[in-house]
Amino acid sequence: ACECINGGKCVNGECVCPEKYSGNNCQIPRCPNNCNFQGTCTANNECKCLEGFYGVDCKYMDCKKLNNCNLNG
């Protein structure tokens, strides 16, 4: 038997997770585009971006904060 959380359903002994969750028991929140690997996904399915990145999925870079615009503005 499985113990699915966050709305997961047990099918043939394995959890089938809703779109916003993954993991053996649907315990891992998913975020848009995996936060583009520039942040972490919170329990609210929102990206907490690393410093210097922003946007719903952390895809935008703030050159001024990163102090690294490669003289391209």
Side-chain angles (χ1 to χ4, degrees), residues 12-32:
N12 296 327
E14 291 186 13
C15 291
V16 176
C17 304
E19 185 179 326
K20 291 190 171 191
Y21 293 93
S22 66
N24 292 339
N25 302 95
C26 305
Q27 77 278 17
I28 303 169
R30 281 190 174 164
C31 279

Side-chain angles (χ1 to χ4, degrees), residues 2 10-14:
C2 17
C10 189
V11 178
N12 296 327
E14 291 186 13

Side-chain angles (χ1 to χ4, degrees), residues 52-65:
F53 294 91
Y54 65 98
V56 174
D57 57 2
C58 303
K59 71 179 174 181
Y60 299 109
M61 189 185 317
D62 185 339
C63 287
K64 290 177 184 165
K65 280 190 179 171

Side-chain angles (χ1 to χ4, degrees), residues 32-40 46-70:
N33 298 318
N34 262 344
C35 302
N36 284 296
F37 305 102
Q38 312 286 9
T40 54
E46 295 175 353
C47 292
K48 181 177 184 200
C49 302
L50 296 173
E51 187 172 349
F53 294 91
Y54 65 98
V56 174
D57 57 2
C58 303
K59 71 179 174 181
Y60 299 109
M61 189 185 317
D62 185 339
C63 287
K64 290 177 184 165
K65 280 190 179 171
L66 290 174
N67 196 19
N68 180 17
C69 295
N70 295 324

